Amino acid sequence: MTDPRKPALLSRGSWTEARRITAILRKETVGGALLLVGAVAAMIWANSPWADAYEAVRDFHLGPEALHLNLSLATWAGDGLLAIFFFVAGLELKREFVAGDLRDVRRAAVPIAAALGGVIVPAVLYLIVTRGVEGAGQGWAIPTATDIAFALAVLAVIGRFLPTALRTFLLTLAVVDDLIAIVIIALFYTDHLSPLPLLAALAPLALFTLLVQRRVRSWWLLLPLAVATWALVHASGVHATVAGVLLAFAVPVLRSDKTEGPGLAEHFEHRFRPLSAGVAVPVFAFLSAGVALGGLDGLASAFRDPIVVGVALGLVLGKPVGIMAATWLTARFTRADLDEDLTWVDMLGLSVLAGIGFTVSLLIGELAFGVGQDAHVKVAVLAGSVTAALLAAVILRLRNRTYRRIHERELADHDHDGVPDVYENDRPGMTT
């Protein structure tokens, strides 16, 4: 039994939060299925007799040359569509720490520490494996990201009864992971920096912030400002997805005294999450995942590349080791116990599942080695992600009977009766 006087790791949390997380995961699970469809379609096309047509689609350019936006479809997907993905991730992260259960520092410490551990250990492992390989060091961040959509698609098949606390932990871990990834991209994968466009981006960003803080929802005002911010950040040399996070952090979470219904962040999240999960990520997967394997000989040749081995080991081994170690150290430091229904095997299953690093890993691979030069990286990411999914499936299925029992108990819990569908900590006039 967990000592009630101690903080509990992976405790259930409030019903309001559980209901919100369930709704988010439902959308992300559908998005994950579409992501897998896009990735499989890309792999089949890239290894078919019509592979040249696939490359022609990826390399097709469109956009105004005068604005330096005559980009290939693959670049539009990575720089443009993923900005929507990071906008939604930024909204979710801010909401978690302002109005969610993670506003409690003790709850927030665990997924933050786990995310940091899941970034540091894979990066170190990759650098150890690739030491002495010329140019390999620039790919150190590839195995550090978790793909929540892909992971949830796997859970939809193997973990339908996974307890709410574990699902919440996985979602929060992935969102913090995404924030760390965008910081890494901004700091380490900016080839050149043009200060003037970057400073100019502050003007539309400031106006966007002013309008959303006043609870303006008019798309014809906000969308042009968001696009201008994105275009100027892109022109500055900083990866354009950074603009998505900056715009998200500007959006207030809590309701004002003059506003009925959900806060503006939740409103935007409802609008943009289907676009992110259902369009942006699957299209990016389709335009990025296609790689010619060259048959069994080509696959064997790829795995003789230390970069491939480093990425795959980082995802399959580095991720779970880093997450488990950070979580255990946090538990020791805070003297916290696992929730009485759960064991460290459950944490191991989630940690292995976090080794699915598809979308952001492919993006960082392109940034590190260049579009068209990252074929082996794609093989490594795909192989590592599939291996992590299979291992997690085995571990989590072993506990499925326990999860079913917990799930039935959660459904039978009527403590949430009468909870309003608004954030319980909203206060009039707050604009955080």
Side-chain angles (χ1 to χ4, degrees), residues 287-309:
L287 292 173
S288 299
V291 55
L293 298 177
L296 292 178
D297 289 341
L299 201 58
S301 174
F303 276 92
R304 288 193 289 270
D305 185 347
I307 293 176
V308 173
V309 176

Side-chain angles (χ1 to χ4, degrees), residues 17 20-21 92-93 95-112 168-169 171-173 175-176:
E17 186 73 356
R20 190 188 68 82
I21 292 295
E92 173 60 25
L93 184 68
R95 209 221 67 84
E96 280 290 337
F97 286 97
V98 173
D101 282 353
L102 294 182
R103 63 188 183 277
D104 182 344
V105 175
R106 292 178 302 175
R107 282 181 174 271
V110 180
I112 291 177
T168 303
F169 178 84
L171 177 63
T172 309
L173 169 68
V175 170
V176 176

Side-chain angles (χ1 to χ4, degrees), residues 2 33 55-56 96 119 137 144 172 184 186 191 256 261 276 308 310 322 331 342 360 380 397 400 409 415:
T2 303
E55 290 301 324
E96 280 290 337
V119 168
T144 63
T172 309
I184 289 173
D191 293 332
S256 70
S276 171
V308 173
L342 303 174
V360 180
R397 290 293 293 180
N400 196 55
R409 192 160 65 245
D415 291 342

Side-chain angles (χ1 to χ4, degrees), residues 105-131:
V105 175
R106 292 178 302 175
R107 282 181 174 271
V110 180
I112 291 177
L116 289 171
V119 168
I120 294 171
V121 175
V124 171
L125 184 58
Y126 171 88
L127 291 173
I128 291 173
V129 172
T130 61
R131 69 186 185 279

